[in-house]
Amino acid sequence: MTGRANALLTGDAAGLAGFGNLGGQAVLARALAEFTTGDWTAASETIAREAVHLEFSGMRSALARLRCAEVQILTGRGDFRRAVSVLAATKPPASCRIDFAVWQAVQASVEVSRSRCEDAIPVLERLRSEAGARGWNEVGTITHASLVEGYLARGEVEAAGRVADEFCRLAENIGSPTARMASGIGHALTFGDLDRARDVLLEAEEQGLHYIAARAHHALGVVGRDGADHLEAAWALFKKMDATLWLKRVEAAGRSRGLVLDRRVDKAGAPGPLTDVERHLVTLVRDGLSNRQIAEVLHYSSKTVEAYLTRLYKKTGYNSRVELIVAHERADSLTGR
């Protein structure tokens, strides 16, 4: 459902600023869809092109949200100077209470990303409480996600756990897939909840939500036993987005495992060598095990095994189990044809 909506919003038929735009919601939805699918360049172009139309149409609330999406992209790319500048230029009046609360939450989230949690966390806690009392789901989503990140960065795991649990309940009540996946990632990072992170990864991959999939890979790389595979996948996805901030985080996680991730992807675009998990997977396929049997051996779900096989086919250029087995028996390097 989410994937279908994203396809409609990012297609030529998507409504833009002007008539039929429902107060600027179509533009905002399109930019957010491009953001979550990982097409940050397209999202930035949409924002730059449509912000002018929204401003001249007097759609101030939608414009403020659109600029907040721009701030998310700039923050993800590590361009904090521009992110702060955009926020300063789009500060809504305090009388517009929910718009102002969203703006404050985004501003505080940027500070958390800059590792400036001391002043940001009290603001986020106040906004989280107010959002709960007033039913401001958007504010609640931003504050919970940022608080989990901030508390973990400060090593306050108990506080992070309290917020992560509450975030999961909030996401279920909201019914938003993106909120639910964001809460799942936060829960995984806080509690080492591998099953929840894998569920998020599978759903994100099925829906084509590459930014969320990259976040899930990062979480699994941090807390999972097969971290090298997931950190490599996260690095490759974030690289395509030019997500400098996230690349640094993934590389830091890699260094803690003795990996140098920025050298793991061939600069000419050729697929890299297979990871330990991928080689093990090829061996199990060669031995004739079904997906269900492989799942039992690896202690994964069948869906996770299917996802691994899909990535393996794409990485090697082979299209079936038979081709993988033949290549293995011929002592093929399996680095693509």
Side-chain angles (χ1 to χ4, degrees):
M1 186 69 173
T2 304
R4 174 62 177 159
N6 284 337
L8 290 171
L9 288 165
T10 55
D12 293 336
L16 298 179
F19 293 107
N21 187 35
L22 299 176
Q25 293 305 303
V27 168
L28 178 60
R30 177 171 182 164
L32 290 175
E34 290 166 340
F35 173 73
T36 54
T37 56
D39 196 348
W40 286 11
T41 298
S44 297
E45 291 172 352
T46 295
I47 293 166
R49 181 178 62 250
E50 302 301 332
V52 176
H53 299 307
L54 291 177
E55 186 168 7
F56 277 101
S57 300
M59 300 177 186
R60 302 292 181 182
S61 183
L63 177 60
R65 300 299 200 284
L66 197 66
R67 289 303 189 189
C68 285
E70 181 180 14
V71 169
Q72 283 186 283
I73 294 171
L74 292 170
T75 301
R77 287 180 165 169
D79 194 344
F80 298 121
R81 182 186 62 79
R82 286 182 61 200
V84 170
S85 177
V86 169
L87 278 169
T90 56
K91 182 178 180 179
S95 57
C96 300
R97 298 178 70 177
I98 188 167
D99 289 347
F100 187 65
V102 170
W103 182 86
Q104 285 184 302
V106 172
Q107 183 185 51
S109 72
V110 171
E111 294 304 295
V112 169
S113 296
R114 299 174 77 180
S115 300
R116 298 180 177 181
C117 299
E118 184 175 351
D119 294 330
I121 283 181
V123 174
L124 290 167
E125 283 288 9
R126 175 180 59 78
L127 290 170
R128 179 180 67 88
S129 178
E130 187 174 5
R134 297 181 179 277
W136 291 346
N137 292 333
E138 183 179 4
V139 178
T141 298
I142 297 169
T143 55
H144 280 82
S146 297
L147 281 168
V148 170
E149 179 182 338
Y151 281 132
L152 287 178
R154 298 205 321 188
E156 299 178 30
V157 179
E158 185 176 347
R162 169 177 53 80
V163 177
D165 280 337
E166 186 175 291
F167 191 12
C168 289
R169 292 193 295 271
L170 172 66
E172 289 299 326
N173 290 334
I174 294 174
S176 163
T178 52
R180 178 167 41 75
M181 286 187 274
S183 69
I185 290 171
H187 201 272
L189 287 169
T190 304
F191 297 104
D193 190 341
L194 298 180
D195 289 338
R196 193 177 292 244
R198 291 185 188 119
D199 288 343
V200 171
L201 175 60
L202 290 172
E203 183 175 357
E205 288 183 333
E206 288 172 359
Q207 300 293 340
L209 307 178
H210 301 304
Y211 171 61
I212 297 176
R215 295 279 310 274
H217 274 303
H218 170 252
L220 285 164
V222 170
V223 301
R225 69 179 186 277
D226 50 348
D229 300 270
H230 289 292
L231 290 174
E232 178 185 3
W235 195 92
L237 287 169
F238 285 132
K239 182 66 174 177
K240 291 179 181 179
M241 300 172 218
D242 194 24
T244 304
L245 174 67
W246 284 104
L247 285 171
K248 289 180 179 179
R249 290 177 177 179
V250 173
E251 288 165 8
R255 284 193 297 273
S256 70
R257 293 173 176 264
L259 304 173
V260 184
L261 291 161
D262 57 348
R263 298 177 185 171
R264 293 174 69 86
V265 178
D266 190 292
K267 304 304 179 185
L274 298 187
T275 64
D276 291 341
V277 171
E278 288 169 337
R279 285 194 292 271
H280 191 192
L281 183 58
V282 173
T283 301
L284 295 174
V285 169
R286 181 204 62 185
D287 292 343
L289 274 67
S290 66
N291 284 6
R292 182 181 59 78
Q293 292 170 324
I294 292 173
E296 291 175 356
V297 171
L298 297 178
H299 303 290
Y300 291 158
S301 70
S302 294
K303 286 187 176 181
T304 299
V305 171
E306 290 171 10
Y308 266 119
L309 281 171
T310 298
R311 286 197 294 272
L312 185 59
Y313 293 145
K314 289 180 180 178
K315 183 173 184 178
T316 62
Y318 298 106
N319 299 311
S320 68
R321 286 170 173 259
V322 173
E323 291 186 11
L324 282 173
I325 293 169
V326 170
H328 188 280
E329 291 176 346
R330 290 177 179 174
D332 196 317
S333 67
L334 290 181
T335 57
R337 294 179 292 180

